Amino acid sequence: MSISNSTIAAGDAPAASRRPSKVLSRRRRKIQSALVAYSFLAPNFLGFAVFTLGPILFAFVLAFMHWDGSNAITFAGLDNFWRLFEDKVFIAAFWNTIIYTVVSVPATLACALGLAILLNQKIFGRDFFRTAMFFPYVASLVAVAVVWNMIFNPEMGPVNMILYTLGLDPKDMPGWAADRHWAMVTVILFGVWKSMGYYMVIYLAGLQGINSELYEAADLDGANSWQKFVYVTVPQLGPTTFFVTVMLTIQSFKVFDQIYMITQGGPGTSTLVLVYHIYNEAFISWDLGYSSMIALVLFFLVLAVTVVQFRRQRED
Amino acid sequence: MASISLKKLNKSYGALTVVHDIDLEIADKEFIILVGPSGCGKSTTLRMIAGLEEISGGELQIGGDLMNDVPSKDRDIAMVFQNYALYPHMTVYKNMAFGLQLRKVSRDFIDSQVQDAARILDITHLLNRKPKALSGGQRQRVALGRAMVRNPAVFLLDEPLSNLDAKLRGTMRAEITKLHKRLHATFIYVTHDQIEAMTMADRIVVMKDGHIQQVDTPQNLYDRPVNMFVAGFIGAPQMNMMPSVIERRGERYFALFDGRELPLPAHFDRSRIAPYEGRDLVIGIRPENFHELPPADIAPENLAPFSAVMELAEPMGSEIHLNIIAGGRSLIARVSPRFRGAIGDEVKLVVDTTNMQLFDRQTERSILY
């Protein structure tokens, strides 16, 4: 209504005053369209604010407080921060998280890319294998973890059976999830196997986006299969690899559920990771202030790594 | 030496054959152009020569050696792709040097080759740029440069100018022709543009539906097309085709068209025409063989009056393409820019039959050649 009124007014006004009022109505229209956009965004933002943004901000504050969840919150200053350096469990969890990330990210990346290249060929049963490789990603984590524990059972699992028939001495047999030297390997293997199918699909899309003329040009230039992979496929997949790396890194830093299902952070602290430690401190020890401080550390760790990755991508 | 010989070369995908038993001899250092409408098999033929497409049957020889199963890189060829196929993440320099680097040639040699090619193509200032920072014409030059640095005996060019605008296409045509003279290599060039074919080629191969229609020099193709397809494909505006009957009057033959009598020139082979006496055929007359006034340099016995109704005039600046209607057919005449007339007027033209074409109506093949 207000718009039509103002245009009528502009039409009646003398020529000199016509221009400013037109500008005004244009500005008003701009504001109005912005309001419409915000009102559509509002329901989603409301959910984000209540369930995500609010708790994050609260956790930031809590990191500098003492709170057991029931009694009054008291100010702690940097107490929680200094405590990190004396907490042996935290230090173990920190390094376990780093190890998990440093190993599982490249391993998942390599497996996903390898699978994508294999399943991008015209081979028999391609669709079946694509589905089979994707399946672990959609399957229930609880169910597959139970199966995984059975397969890798040190005494009765088929994996060790196979190793035994291959001639491995029973006393050198890996204890997998029950062995403090093998537990991390087991968890990483599980993580790689669970998520490689998803990233394989992303890589498949990337591979199909490569112009086949580039491979033909490389053929004529005299490149063999490996050289074509190195000089055409890998650089052409750059943006895909960047996306996959960022997603995988974030995912690895916040790994929790599979460890909860397979090793519960043990044996000892051999697979205890930061999120697991946060969970223990918050909901087992009810030390919400300290656990928030650990969460803060994790947040800045992820942020720093992601910023570095974005910088490097931009340089390329 | 890089003569190329295709012997009964064919390509099929399952039951579908796209190239049928092609025989073609290409001489060393020749500039040969494969031309035809899309889907005629010209690109497939080129790709078989390149080794990018498996040969289903027949033989391919380069420099006298059988190449059917030799990998692309060992055929001593280079190719320029329609979309250039430059490696996007490499600089222009690396794009050009890549093939030589893979061949483990010395760095100094690579550098001198790249610099030489860049100088010839006038892209020295672009060597450190990446392809995405180049215009279409510059990318085209880089693609040519990449082909040049290896000094191949044969250059294969697959519609290299089709992504350029009309003006740039004109200048690049001339540059590629000059490049061919300078490089002393065999060029095989695929295009659907008959102007490119006419202006650049030593010989043109006209293809249709996987078959070669005719192989000849541009002028011979224009003057002596072996069938109606070639006659219609080469030349713009197209040759005018008219149904006709041949009649004999004393010593001379005439082609009749809608009451007009067009004398067949005396130099036509009478033994080829005689069997068609009284029979239906198709005559072909190029637009430039219509004139407003009888030209002084044409023998009067090869001229005939030709009146028609004007339908449309398309001024081209240097000439006018006059669309006329005669015998219910739309024809095109090229007349001088001074021509004046209005739509619906009767225009009185003169037709020169010296280069008239005669085709069998059933087989569509030329009666004369």
Side-chain angles (χ1 to χ4, degrees):
Chain A
M1 266 326 272
S2 61
I3 286 177
S4 64
N5 279 344
S6 76
T7 24
I8 289 167
D12 292 341
S17 67
R18 202 173 281 172
R19 193 159 292 158
S21 80
K22 248 189 189 164
V23 170
L24 201 75
S25 78
R26 197 181 300 155
R27 187 180 299 163
R28 196 180 278 182
R29 227 174 299 159
K30 241 183 196 169
I31 292 170
Q32 204 163 34
S33 79
L35 280 177
V36 170
Y38 286 131
S39 67
F40 275 103
L41 285 169
N44 193 348
F45 182 77
L46 204 69
F48 170 75
V50 170
F51 295 109
T52 307
L53 188 62
I56 287 176
L57 294 175
F58 187 48
F60 264 76
V61 175
L62 266 188
F64 303 94
M65 304 287 169
H66 290 302
W67 193 35
D68 62 4
S70 49
N71 293 310
I73 300 175
T74 55
F75 184 66
L78 289 173
D79 284 2
N80 290 329
F81 183 71
W82 300 126
R83 196 176 141 190
L84 290 173
F85 298 95
E86 289 148 21
D87 181 358
K88 287 208 177 69
V89 181
F90 166 77
I91 291 165
F94 180 85
W95 287 114
N96 283 341
T97 307
I98 300 287
I99 290 168
Y100 181 86
T101 304
V102 166
V103 178
S104 80
V105 171
T108 313
L109 200 90
C111 290
L113 179 56
L115 281 175
I117 287 170
L118 284 178
L119 294 176
N120 199 32
Q121 325 273 330
K122 288 182 183 119
I123 54 165
F124 178 75
R126 184 171 70 170
D127 290 346
F128 168 78
F129 285 109
R130 282 183 184 177
T131 313
M133 293 303 147
F134 189 69
F135 192 73
Y137 183 75
V138 285
S140 151
L141 182 115
V142 177
V144 290
V146 169
V147 177
W148 189 267
N149 272 340
M150 283 161 64
I151 292 172
F152 282 86
N153 186 299
E155 272 85 44
M156 292 129 38
V159 173
N160 277 8
M161 295 278 202
I162 292 166
L163 291 177
Y164 180 72
T165 52
L166 288 176
L168 193 75
D169 196 313
K171 66 178 188 302
D172 299 332
M173 212 63 90
W176 302 115
D179 184 330
R180 58 180 302 125
H181 300 294
W182 284 94
M184 184 55 94
V185 176
T186 313
V187 172
I188 288 172
L189 278 176
F190 182 85
V192 170
W193 172 78
K194 183 101 171 75
S195 55
M196 67 184 180
Y198 176 73
Y199 294 102
M200 171 196 79
V201 171
I202 293 174
Y203 265 127
L204 271 174
L207 284 173
Q208 278 153 20
I210 301 178
N211 179 1
S212 61
E213 273 193 351
L214 290 178
Y215 290 108
E216 295 179 344
D219 269 333
L220 283 149
D221 271 335
N224 58 33
S225 304
W226 174 250
Q227 287 165 331
K228 277 189 273 184
F229 175 74
V230 172
Y231 294 112
V232 179
T233 310
V234 171
Q236 284 289 288
L237 287 175
T240 312
T241 303
F242 170 69
F243 172 76
V244 170
T245 312
V246 169
M247 296 303 288
L248 272 174
T249 308
I250 294 172
Q251 185 188 308
S252 311
F253 273 123
K254 44 180 244 192
V255 62
F256 171 74
D257 41 9
Q258 71 206 44
I259 291 175
Y260 185 82
M261 286 309 299
I262 297 175
T263 64
Q264 288 83 44
T269 54
S270 60
T271 55
L272 193 84
V273 287
L274 283 176
V275 178
Y276 211 110
H277 194 38
I278 293 170
Y279 167 81
N280 279 341
E281 289 297 329
F283 304 112
I284 308 294
S285 314
W286 289 100
D287 196 340
L288 293 168
Y290 182 54
S291 72
S292 293
M293 178 53 81
I294 304 171
L296 201 61
V297 170
L298 179 63
F299 171 79
F300 281 110
L301 196 62
V302 174
L303 186 71
V305 171
T306 311
V307 166
V308 168
Q309 285 171 332
F310 266 90
R311 284 252 171 85
R312 282 189 49 190
Q313 166 75 3
R314 213 170 298 158
E315 277 165 24
D316 289 349
Chain B
M1 255 302 278
S3 60
I4 296 165
S5 154
L6 315 184
K7 292 185 176 137
K8 299 253 169 288
L9 202 66
N10 64 71
K11 176 72 192 176
S12 43
Y13 300 98
L16 179 74
T17 304
V18 292
V19 174
H20 299 266
D21 292 346
I22 281 189
D23 286 305
L24 183 64
E25 296 293 329
I26 301 168
D28 186 29
K29 300 183 181 50
E30 195 174 3
F31 196 143
I32 202 126
I33 291 190
L34 309 181
V35 69
S38 30
C40 72
K42 57 190 191 296
S43 277
T44 310
T45 306
L46 188 80
R47 291 169 59 83
M48 282 195 280
I49 299 172
L52 297 173
E53 213 65 70
E54 217 174 294
I55 295 169
S56 310
E59 279 187 10
L60 165 70
Q61 293 180 355
I62 300 179
D65 298 322
L66 186 67
M67 289 287 167
N68 284 38
D69 299 314
V70 175
S72 303
K73 64 182 167 84
D74 300 324
R75 293 189 183 189
D76 200 11
I77 53 172
M79 184 153 167
V80 176
F81 292 85
Q82 183 175 358
N83 299 313
Y84 318 133
L86 301 175
Y87 307 116
H89 53 285
M90 295 185 194
T91 61
V92 168
Y93 185 97
K94 284 217 84 180
N95 261 287
M96 289 166 70
F98 186 60
L100 290 176
Q101 280 170 350
L102 292 180
R103 275 154 224 255
K104 309 235 183 296
V105 197
S106 85
R107 195 169 287 189
D108 292 341
F109 178 74
I110 294 175
D111 192 59
S112 76
Q113 287 294 99
V114 172
Q115 298 292 352
D116 281 353
R119 203 170 314 120
I120 292 170
L121 294 165
D122 198 17
I123 51 172
T124 309
H125 60 296
L126 305 174
L127 284 175
N128 290 321
R129 293 215 200 147
K130 294 221 173 138
K132 68 168 179 247
L134 304 179
S135 69
Q138 289 169 332
R139 284 179 204 184
Q140 179 61 68
R141 284 163 192 274
V142 176
L144 281 168
R146 181 170 65 178
M148 279 162 59
V149 290
R150 276 194 279 125
N151 287 330
V154 183
F155 282 79
L156 306 173
L157 302 102
D158 188 5
E159 308 224 11
L161 304 185
S162 60
N163 287 345
L164 303 180
D165 62 65
K167 195 176 160 202
L168 202 52
R169 215 179 298 161
T171 48
M172 285 307 287
R173 269 202 320 253
E175 295 218 13
I176 291 177
T177 312
K178 283 186 225 156
L179 207 57
H180 170 248
K181 301 238 177 336
R182 180 167 189 161
L183 295 173
H184 306 293
T186 310
F187 272 44
I188 306 177
Y189 186 111
V190 161
T191 181
H192 60 264
D193 180 356
Q194 55 101 15
I195 296 175
E196 278 173 32
M198 291 294 285
T199 51
M200 300 165 83
D202 292 330
R203 282 194 304 156
I204 297 175
V205 180
V206 182
M207 293 182 70
K208 184 197 172 196
D209 298 337
H211 293 277
I212 289 184
Q213 303 292 309
Q214 189 171 2
V215 184
D216 215 327
T217 61
Q219 198 59 51
N220 275 351
L221 276 186
Y222 193 79
D223 292 339
R224 304 159 71 95
V226 296
N227 59 32
M228 285 171 65
F229 176 77
V230 176
F233 194 80
I234 302 290
Q238 277 196 17
M239 184 185 281
N240 297 298
M241 301 288 183
M242 294 163 258
S244 179
V245 181
I246 298 273
E247 271 190 19
R248 188 173 167 168
R249 307 267 166 78
E251 284 304 296
R252 296 210 66 176
Y253 286 101
F254 288 84
L256 307 185
F257 170 63
D258 190 41
R260 298 168 187 80
E261 296 184 350
L262 314 180
L264 302 197
H267 68 263
F268 280 9
D269 185 346
R270 296 171 66 89
S271 66
R272 284 172 175 267
I273 298 167
Y276 283 90
E277 200 182 314
R279 282 171 59 186
D280 288 344
L281 41 64
V282 175
I283 57 173
I285 294 174
R286 295 223 178 256
E288 65 269 27
N289 294 132
F290 289 99
H291 303 274
E292 292 143 87
L293 296 167
D297 56 339
I298 307 288
E301 68 264 26
N302 290 346
L303 293 173
F306 197 103
S307 55
V309 176
M310 178 172 156
E311 192 185 22
L312 182 70
E314 295 178 298
M316 310 299 287
S318 60
E319 62 191 26
I320 290 176
H321 293 172
L322 200 62
N323 294 31
I324 51 176
I325 295 190
R329 302 221 141 214
S330 227
L331 308 175
I332 295 183
R334 283 167 66 175
V335 296
S336 86
R338 289 177 301 280
F339 175 86
R340 291 286 171 272
I343 291 169
D345 282 0
E346 192 188 345
V347 289
K348 289 188 189 321
L349 299 171
V350 177
V351 62
D352 164 17
T353 60
T354 314
N355 290 314
M356 190 161 117
Q357 304 296 326
L358 302 177
F359 302 101
D360 185 302
R361 192 177 288 183
Q362 262 73 50
T363 64
E364 300 198 344
R365 295 196 61 79
S366 173
I367 293 164
L368 302 170
Y369 312 111

